[in-house]
Amino acid sequence: MGAAYGLGRFFIAPLARAIYRPRVEGRENVPRTGPVIFASNHLSFIDSVAIPVASPRPVHFLAKSSYFEKWASRQFFTAIGAIAVERGAGQAALDALDQQRALLEDGRAVALYPEGTRSLDGRLYKGRTGVAFLALQTGAPVVPVGLIGTDKVMPVGAKVPTTKERITVRFGEPLDLSPHGPASSGRARRGATDEIMTAIHALSEQDLANAYNEVPAQNPIDRIKQVLPHERI
């Protein structure tokens, strides 16, 4: 990540902790070395800042490539551990998994959102299987994360976070998902994903949506795809 990331860890994280005073629980649950996946609920744009700020070790996450188009935003996102990626389904999703796998194979920590996108109503949605696939494929433990209050600190549409609210970041005990089976098994991926989401739910205490968080279908083909059972990664 270079000098920008080093400076970000040295300056931005302490400054953010001083200004926003996050409540952090379970830091002792985070492995200090080796690959690890932080699997978190997703309520706000600042979730990807809250986790690295609260974590006792560097954390990387993927961010939309459009955030890196301007120099200032590129420096900021690089400083907090973001890596540019083309967002989307299909091949774009598989390419993102490849980038995350490379980070884990290098012994790094990555943060992912099994829901796929932010919850606009505050409920916890069903998990997609990409996180479980990575964990089963690489053997990396999964640390569930419960974020509380980030949607109040920076609601959808807000330009800057408020200092009137505080957030809570809860790190759960690492999950070993290997008993579910190999990454090639759809049943193993689904079972491991459900275990991850159960752990996140226990930490975040959100109401359950019992559905996937998906944008409204734009055409008849997309509507059919959403209705038919298929694996979401």
Side-chain angles (χ1 to χ4, degrees):
M1 300 298 293
Y5 183 56
L7 290 173
R9 287 289 299 177
F10 189 78
F11 290 109
I12 294 179
L15 181 63
R17 285 194 291 268
I19 294 175
Y20 293 101
R21 300 166 294 115
R23 303 180 184 92
V24 182
E25 302 174 9
R27 282 169 61 96
E28 68 278 4
N29 291 324
V30 178
R32 296 307 195 265
T33 60
V36 62
I37 299 172
F38 292 96
S40 174
N41 60 324
H42 196 12
L43 295 168
S44 170
F45 172 81
I46 64 166
D47 293 345
S48 295
V49 179
I51 295 174
V53 165
S55 171
R57 61 178 290 183
V59 181
H60 302 280
F61 63 94
L62 302 184
K64 292 189 296 184
S65 58
S66 59
Y67 292 155
F68 293 78
E69 293 174 355
K70 295 182 179 180
W71 183 88
S73 61
R74 181 170 65 251
Q75 296 304 311
F76 172 77
F77 280 99
T78 300
I80 60 174
I83 297 174
V85 65
E86 294 291 338
R87 298 287 293 275
Q91 188 59 47
L94 295 176
D95 290 343
L97 288 176
D98 286 340
Q99 288 181 280
Q100 292 155 335
R101 180 169 54 250
L103 289 168
L104 292 169
E105 290 174 348
D106 196 36
R108 299 177 184 270
V110 300
L112 300 168
Y113 305 112
E115 294 170 277
T117 189
R118 284 178 288 178
S119 171
L120 299 182
D121 59 12
R123 295 184 297 169
L124 184 68
Y125 284 78
K126 291 182 65 174
R128 299 167 183 266
T129 60
V131 176
F133 175 79
L134 276 176
L136 294 173
Q137 188 179 55
T138 64
V142 173
V143 172
V145 181
L147 297 174
I148 301 173
T150 55
D151 53 336
K152 295 179 180 179
V153 171
M154 192 170 185
V156 174
K159 298 298 183 181
V160 294
T162 179
T163 58
K164 296 180 180 179
E165 302 282 349
R166 293 181 67 184
I167 67 171
T168 298
V169 183
R170 292 174 173 170
F171 296 107
E173 295 183 3
L175 304 175
D176 175 13
L177 302 176
S178 59
H180 288 280
S184 58
S185 166
R187 178 175 292 183
R189 294 192 297 270
R190 186 70 257 167
T193 299
D194 291 343
E195 181 178 347
I196 292 169
M197 298 310 296
T198 297
I200 293 175
H201 177 239
L203 295 167
S204 70
E205 302 177 359
Q206 295 167 268
D207 290 335
L208 295 174
N210 295 316
Y212 290 103
N213 193 359
E214 298 179 308
V215 298
Q218 300 300 311
N219 54 64
I221 294 178
D222 288 342
R223 283 195 289 272
I224 293 173
K225 287 182 178 179
Q226 289 186 359
V227 172
L228 293 177
H230 67 281
E231 182 175 5
R232 276 81 163 177
I233 61 172

